Amino acid sequence: MRRTLPAFALAALIAAPAIAADAAKPQPRKSAQDIIDAAPASDWRDLDPANTLYMELPGGRVVIELAPGFAPEHVANIRTMAKGGFWDGLNIYRSQDNFVVQFGDPDGDEAGKAKPYPEGTKTHLPAEFTRSDKGVRFDRLPDVDGWAPQIGFADGMPAARDPKTGKLWMTHCYGVVGAGRSNPPDSSIGAELYVVIGQAPRALDHQLTVVGRVVKGMELLSVIPRGPAPMGFYEKPEQRAPIVSIKLASEVPEAQRTPLQLLRTDSRAFVDATEARRNRVDDFYTQPAGHIDLCNVPLPVREAK
Protein backbone atom coordinates (compact mmCIF):
# COMPACT_ATOMS: atom_id res chain seq x y z
CA MET A 1 0.00 0.00 0.00
CA ARG A 2 1.40 3.40 -0.96
CA ARG A 3 2.16 5.62 2.04
CA THR A 4 1.86 9.39 1.99
CA LEU A 5 3.47 11.86 4.38
CA PRO A 6 1.35 14.09 6.57
CA ALA A 7 1.17 17.68 5.42
CA PHE A 8 3.39 18.99 8.27
CA ALA A 9 6.15 16.44 7.43
CA LEU A 10 6.01 17.29 3.75
CA ALA A 11 6.33 20.97 4.61
CA ALA A 12 9.36 20.20 6.77
CA LEU A 13 11.08 18.35 3.90
CA ILE A 14 10.38 21.18 1.51
CA ALA A 15 11.78 23.73 3.96
CA ALA A 16 14.88 21.70 4.88
CA PRO A 17 16.99 22.49 1.77
CA ALA A 18 16.45 26.21 2.28
CA ILE A 19 17.53 26.00 5.93
CA ALA A 20 20.63 24.01 5.00
CA ALA A 21 21.46 26.47 2.26
CA ASP A 22 21.20 29.41 4.68
CA ALA A 23 23.44 27.62 7.18
CA ALA A 24 26.04 27.01 4.49
CA LYS A 25 26.31 30.71 3.66
CA PRO A 26 29.25 32.46 5.33
CA GLN A 27 27.95 34.54 8.20
CA PRO A 28 28.92 38.21 8.06
CA ARG A 29 31.70 39.11 10.48
CA LYS A 30 31.56 42.25 12.56
CA SER A 31 34.16 44.95 12.14
CA ALA A 32 36.37 45.95 15.04
CA GLN A 33 34.39 49.15 15.43
CA ASP A 34 31.09 47.24 15.51
CA ILE A 35 32.47 45.08 18.32
CA ILE A 36 33.74 48.08 20.28
CA ASP A 37 30.44 49.95 19.85
CA ALA A 38 28.54 46.93 21.23
CA ALA A 39 30.87 46.40 24.22
CA PRO A 40 28.91 46.34 27.50
CA ALA A 41 29.55 48.92 30.21
CA SER A 42 31.48 46.34 32.25
CA ASP A 43 34.14 46.17 29.50
CA TRP A 44 35.09 49.81 30.05
CA ARG A 45 37.10 51.46 32.82
CA ASP A 46 37.18 55.09 33.92
CA LEU A 47 40.35 57.11 33.55
CA ASP A 48 41.77 57.77 37.03
CA PRO A 49 41.99 61.57 37.60
CA ALA A 50 44.86 61.09 40.07
CA ASN A 51 46.97 59.51 37.30
CA THR A 52 45.87 61.67 34.39
CA LEU A 53 47.61 64.77 33.03
CA TYR A 54 45.92 67.54 31.09
CA MET A 55 48.43 69.20 28.79
CA GLU A 56 46.84 72.44 27.64
CA LEU A 57 48.15 73.75 24.31
CA PRO A 58 46.88 76.80 22.41
CA GLY A 59 45.11 74.39 20.06
CA GLY A 60 43.44 72.22 22.69
CA ARG A 61 43.93 69.58 25.38
CA VAL A 62 46.20 66.53 25.32
CA VAL A 63 45.17 63.84 27.82
CA ILE A 64 47.94 61.60 29.20
CA GLU A 65 47.38 58.48 31.28
CA LEU A 66 50.28 57.90 33.67
CA ALA A 67 51.65 54.42 34.40
CA PRO A 68 52.57 54.23 38.10
CA GLY A 69 52.78 50.44 37.91
CA PHE A 70 55.72 50.70 35.51
CA ALA A 71 57.48 53.82 36.82
CA PRO A 72 56.22 54.59 40.34
CA GLU A 73 59.00 56.99 41.33
CA HIS A 74 58.96 58.94 38.08
CA VAL A 75 55.17 59.20 38.14
CA ALA A 76 55.26 60.44 41.74
CA ASN A 77 57.77 63.11 40.71
CA ILE A 78 55.66 64.08 37.69
CA ARG A 79 52.61 64.45 39.90
CA THR A 80 54.59 66.70 42.25
CA MET A 81 55.82 68.84 39.36
CA ALA A 82 52.35 69.09 37.83
CA LYS A 83 50.86 70.20 41.15
CA GLY A 84 53.60 72.81 41.42
CA GLY A 85 52.99 74.15 37.90
CA PHE A 86 56.48 73.29 36.65
CA TRP A 87 55.54 72.99 32.95
CA ASP A 88 53.18 75.97 32.92
CA GLY A 89 54.56 78.49 30.44
CA LEU A 90 57.33 76.20 29.17
CA ASN A 91 57.31 74.71 25.68
CA ILE A 92 57.80 71.88 23.24
CA TYR A 93 61.38 72.52 22.14
CA ARG A 94 61.93 69.52 19.90
CA SER A 95 60.00 67.90 17.07
CA GLN A 96 61.92 65.24 15.18
CA ASP A 97 60.26 63.81 12.09
CA ASN A 98 59.11 60.17 12.45
CA PHE A 99 60.37 60.08 16.03
CA VAL A 100 59.31 62.26 18.99
CA VAL A 101 58.24 65.64 20.28
CA GLN A 102 59.95 66.63 23.51
CA PHE A 103 58.98 69.22 26.10
CA GLY A 104 60.18 70.75 29.35
CA ASP A 105 62.64 73.50 30.19
CA PRO A 106 64.98 74.22 27.24
CA ASP A 107 67.25 76.11 29.64
CA GLY A 108 67.23 73.35 32.24
CA ASP A 109 70.97 72.74 31.97
CA GLU A 110 71.98 76.39 32.31
CA ALA A 111 72.68 77.69 35.80
CA GLY A 112 70.74 80.84 36.54
CA LYS A 113 68.29 80.29 33.69
CA ALA A 114 66.75 76.94 34.62
CA LYS A 115 63.25 77.04 36.05
CA PRO A 116 63.29 75.85 39.69
CA TYR A 117 61.55 72.60 40.51
CA PRO A 118 58.52 72.71 42.79
CA GLU A 119 59.02 71.86 46.44
CA GLY A 120 59.15 68.12 47.00
CA THR A 121 60.62 67.29 43.59
CA LYS A 122 63.29 64.61 43.78
CA THR A 123 66.41 65.44 41.79
CA HIS A 124 67.66 61.88 41.52
CA LEU A 125 65.68 58.76 40.70
CA PRO A 126 66.57 55.19 39.80
CA ALA A 127 66.16 54.04 36.22
CA GLU A 128 62.75 52.37 35.89
CA PHE A 129 63.20 50.63 32.55
CA THR A 130 61.55 47.35 33.57
CA ARG A 131 59.42 45.92 36.36
CA SER A 132 58.84 42.47 37.79
CA ASP A 133 55.98 40.53 36.20
CA LYS A 134 55.04 38.87 39.50
CA GLY A 135 51.42 39.47 40.41
CA VAL A 136 50.79 41.49 37.24
CA ARG A 137 47.99 40.50 34.89
CA PHE A 138 49.48 40.26 31.40
CA ASP A 139 46.98 40.06 28.55
CA ARG A 140 49.19 38.36 25.99
CA LEU A 141 48.83 38.55 22.23
CA PRO A 142 49.58 35.33 20.29
CA ASP A 143 51.50 37.22 17.61
CA VAL A 144 55.26 36.94 17.06
CA ASP A 145 57.35 40.00 17.93
CA GLY A 146 60.89 40.80 16.86
CA TRP A 147 61.76 42.71 20.02
CA ALA A 148 60.53 40.54 22.88
CA PRO A 149 59.59 36.91 23.64
CA GLN A 150 56.03 37.94 24.54
CA ILE A 151 53.85 40.99 23.87
CA GLY A 152 50.50 42.16 25.15
CA PHE A 153 49.06 44.58 27.67
CA ALA A 154 49.49 45.23 31.37
CA ASP A 155 47.63 47.90 33.34
CA GLY A 156 46.04 48.86 30.02
CA MET A 157 49.44 49.75 28.54
CA PRO A 158 51.23 48.12 25.58
CA ALA A 159 53.91 45.94 27.10
CA ALA A 160 56.45 43.20 26.49
CA ARG A 161 57.67 40.42 28.75
CA ASP A 162 60.58 38.05 29.06
CA PRO A 163 59.37 35.03 31.06
CA LYS A 164 62.94 33.80 31.55
CA THR A 165 63.96 36.92 33.47
CA GLY A 166 60.51 37.73 34.85
CA LYS A 167 60.82 41.27 33.48
CA LEU A 168 58.00 43.36 32.01
CA TRP A 169 58.29 46.73 30.28
CA MET A 170 56.24 49.26 28.35
CA THR A 171 56.87 49.36 24.62
CA HIS A 172 57.64 52.44 22.55
CA CYS A 173 54.45 52.58 20.52
CA TYR A 174 52.90 55.66 18.93
CA GLY A 175 51.66 58.00 21.66
CA VAL A 176 53.82 56.56 24.45
CA VAL A 177 55.30 59.10 26.87
CA GLY A 178 58.82 58.66 28.22
CA ALA A 179 61.33 60.49 30.41
CA GLY A 180 64.31 61.96 28.58
CA ARG A 181 67.74 61.28 30.03
CA SER A 182 71.46 61.81 29.45
CA ASN A 183 73.87 58.91 29.05
CA PRO A 184 73.72 57.67 32.66
CA PRO A 185 70.69 55.36 32.99
CA ASP A 186 69.59 57.07 36.23
CA SER A 187 69.73 60.63 34.87
CA SER A 188 65.99 61.16 34.30
CA ILE A 189 63.55 62.61 36.84
CA GLY A 190 60.50 63.19 34.60
CA ALA A 191 61.03 66.94 34.05
CA GLU A 192 61.86 66.43 30.37
CA LEU A 193 59.28 64.26 28.62
CA TYR A 194 58.89 62.99 25.08
CA VAL A 195 55.97 61.56 23.09
CA VAL A 196 56.44 59.12 20.21
CA ILE A 197 54.94 60.63 17.05
CA GLY A 198 56.39 58.29 14.43
CA GLN A 199 57.07 54.65 13.63
CA ALA A 200 57.44 52.78 16.90
CA PRO A 201 61.13 53.06 17.94
CA ARG A 202 61.16 49.73 19.73
CA ALA A 203 64.98 49.80 20.04
CA LEU A 204 64.34 52.23 22.91
CA ASP A 205 62.41 49.60 24.86
CA HIS A 206 63.95 49.04 28.30
CA GLN A 207 66.46 51.81 27.54
CA LEU A 208 64.41 54.69 28.95
CA THR A 209 61.77 55.07 31.64
CA VAL A 210 58.32 55.08 30.09
CA VAL A 211 55.77 56.94 32.21
CA GLY A 212 52.46 56.71 30.32
CA ARG A 213 50.67 57.26 27.04
CA VAL A 214 48.51 59.84 25.30
CA VAL A 215 44.88 58.75 25.23
CA LYS A 216 43.44 61.83 23.54
CA GLY A 217 44.90 64.74 21.56
CA MET A 218 47.72 63.10 19.60
CA GLU A 219 46.66 65.12 16.57
CA LEU A 220 47.75 68.26 18.41
CA LEU A 221 51.27 66.89 18.87
CA SER A 222 51.79 65.11 15.57
CA VAL A 223 51.21 68.28 13.49
CA ILE A 224 53.77 70.43 15.31
CA PRO A 225 56.28 71.73 12.71
CA ARG A 226 59.46 69.70 12.58
CA GLY A 227 62.72 71.12 13.84
CA PRO A 228 65.95 71.01 11.83
CA ALA A 229 68.03 67.88 11.34
CA PRO A 230 69.52 65.87 12.81
CA MET A 231 67.47 65.78 16.04
CA GLY A 232 64.67 68.30 15.63
CA PHE A 233 65.68 70.82 18.32
CA TYR A 234 64.49 74.30 17.36
CA GLU A 235 67.28 76.79 16.74
CA LYS A 236 65.26 79.85 17.73
CA PRO A 237 63.11 80.25 20.88
CA GLU A 238 60.20 81.68 18.86
CA GLN A 239 59.94 78.40 16.95
CA ARG A 240 59.05 76.46 20.09
CA ALA A 241 55.42 75.43 20.67
CA PRO A 242 54.12 77.00 23.90
CA ILE A 243 52.57 74.99 26.71
CA VAL A 244 49.79 76.80 28.54
CA SER A 245 49.81 74.38 31.47
CA ILE A 246 50.11 70.75 32.53
CA LYS A 247 47.90 69.76 35.46
CA LEU A 248 46.66 66.62 37.12
CA ALA A 249 43.02 65.97 36.25
CA SER A 250 42.34 65.55 39.98
CA GLU A 251 43.43 69.20 40.45
CA VAL A 252 40.96 70.44 37.81
CA PRO A 253 37.32 71.12 38.76
CA GLU A 254 35.18 68.14 37.80
CA ALA A 255 33.05 70.21 35.43
CA GLN A 256 36.20 71.09 33.45
CA ARG A 257 37.54 67.55 33.14
CA THR A 258 37.44 65.40 30.01
CA PRO A 259 35.43 62.32 31.11
CA LEU A 260 36.99 59.37 29.33
CA GLN A 261 36.66 55.61 29.51
CA LEU A 262 39.06 53.03 28.12
CA LEU A 263 38.27 49.55 26.88
CA ARG A 264 39.67 46.95 29.26
CA THR A 265 42.37 44.86 27.60
CA ASP A 266 41.12 41.78 29.47
CA SER A 267 37.61 42.17 28.05
CA ARG A 268 35.97 39.94 25.45
CA ALA A 269 35.31 42.98 23.28
CA PHE A 270 38.99 43.94 23.20
CA VAL A 271 40.05 40.39 22.29
CA ASP A 272 37.41 40.13 19.53
CA ALA A 273 38.16 43.60 18.15
CA THR A 274 41.86 42.77 17.97
CA GLU A 275 41.09 39.53 16.13
CA ALA A 276 38.89 41.45 13.70
CA ARG A 277 41.86 43.67 12.91
CA ARG A 278 44.24 40.72 12.70
CA ASN A 279 42.04 39.09 10.03
CA ARG A 280 40.15 41.80 8.22
CA VAL A 281 37.40 40.59 5.93
CA ASP A 282 35.91 43.80 4.55
CA ASP A 283 35.75 44.45 0.81
CA PHE A 284 39.06 46.34 0.63
CA TYR A 285 41.29 43.57 2.02
CA THR A 286 41.98 40.77 -0.45
CA GLN A 287 43.66 38.43 2.04
CA PRO A 288 43.55 38.33 5.85
CA ALA A 289 46.98 39.00 7.35
CA GLY A 290 46.64 36.56 10.24
CA HIS A 291 48.99 38.79 12.24
CA ILE A 292 48.99 42.12 14.04
CA ASP A 293 51.81 44.22 15.43
CA LEU A 294 51.50 45.22 19.08
CA CYS A 295 51.86 48.90 18.24
CA ASN A 296 49.06 48.60 15.66
CA VAL A 297 46.54 47.50 18.27
CA PRO A 298 44.64 50.65 19.19
CA LEU A 299 43.44 51.03 22.76
CA PRO A 300 39.85 52.27 22.38
CA VAL A 301 38.82 55.41 24.25
CA ARG A 302 35.37 56.94 24.47
CA GLU A 303 33.56 59.76 26.25
CA ALA A 304 32.10 58.45 29.50
CA LYS A 305 28.40 57.64 29.22
Side-chain angles (χ1 to χ4, degrees):
M1 180 177 178
R2 184 178 181 183
R3 300 182 60 185
T4 59
L5 290 170
F8 72 86
L10 183 60
L13 286 175
I14 294 172
I19 294 172
D22 289 341
K25 291 180 181 178
Q27 299 300 307
R29 291 181 59 182
K30 294 181 179 180
S31 69
Q33 192 59 53
D34 289 337
I35 294 167
I36 293 166
D37 290 343
S42 59
D43 283 1
W44 298 87
R45 63 181 176 90
D46 294 325
L47 201 57
D48 179 8
N51 285 305
T52 301
L53 292 178
Y54 290 160
M55 181 183 191
E56 305 292 353
L57 302 177
R61 173 178 286 178
V62 178
V63 182
I64 298 170
E65 181 183 24
L66 297 173
F70 284 89
E73 296 207 42
H74 279 73
V75 168
N77 231 27
I78 288 169
R79 295 176 81 252
T80 296
M81 287 186 277
K83 288 181 178 180
F86 174 70
W87 292 284
D88 299 2
L90 291 179
N91 49 64
I92 297 170
Y93 55 77
R94 178 190 186 189
S95 176
Q96 185 173 350
D97 190 44
N98 197 34
F99 193 44
V100 301
V101 295
Q102 189 166 332
F103 58 93
D105 183 2
D107 299 319
D109 293 331
E110 296 189 38
K113 296 180 69 175
K115 185 174 183 178
Y117 297 131
E119 183 178 355
T121 302
K122 294 181 179 180
T123 56
H124 183 265
L125 298 176
E128 296 181 291
F129 300 165
T130 64
R131 66 186 285 191
S132 170
D133 65 357
K134 291 182 179 179
V136 181
R137 181 186 174 94
F138 183 66
D139 300 314
R140 184 182 174 186
L141 293 178
D143 306 270
V144 175
D145 182 71
W147 297 99
Q150 297 178 355
I151 51 169
F153 299 89
D155 298 344
M157 303 286 178
R161 180 172 70 172
D162 185 344
K164 290 184 179 180
T165 63
K167 296 298 184 182
L168 183 69
W169 60 92
M170 276 187 67
T171 53
H172 275 75
C173 295
Y174 182 77
V176 158
V177 183
R181 69 171 175 89
S182 300
N183 285 336
D186 60 350
S187 56
S188 64
I189 64 169
E192 309 303 314
L193 299 172
Y194 62 88
V195 181
V196 176
I197 60 167
Q199 173 67 26
R202 293 285 303 281
L204 297 180
D205 288 0
H206 53 77
Q207 304 294 333
L208 294 107
T209 298
V210 180
V211 300
R213 67 183 179 98
V214 174
V215 296
K216 186 176 177 63
M218 272 301 295
E219 70 280 1
L220 300 172
L221 299 174
S222 62
V223 299
I224 290 174
R226 303 299 185 252
M231 298 183 69
F233 289 96
Y234 298 118
E235 296 174 339
K236 300 177 181 179
E238 59 268 24
Q239 294 176 308
R240 299 166 183 160
I243 296 172
V244 177
S245 67
I246 296 181
K247 300 184 184 301
L248 280 168
S250 56
E251 300 291 305
V252 173
E254 190 168 356
Q256 298 174 24
R257 297 177 190 172
T258 304
L260 297 177
Q261 292 182 319
L262 299 93
L263 192 63
R264 299 173 61 95
T265 60
D266 61 349
S267 68
R268 182 76 254 170
F270 183 82
V271 172
D272 290 346
T274 302
E275 176 59 24
R277 290 190 172 94
R278 184 181 289 112
N279 289 292
R280 295 178 185 265
V281 293
D282 56 67
D283 293 338
F284 179 81
Y285 288 85
T286 59
Q287 181 175 331
H291 174 80
I292 194 165
D293 184 89
L294 171 64
C295 290
N296 282 336
V297 179
L299 294 159
V301 180
R302 72 177 186 181
E303 294 283 338
K305 295 184 178 181

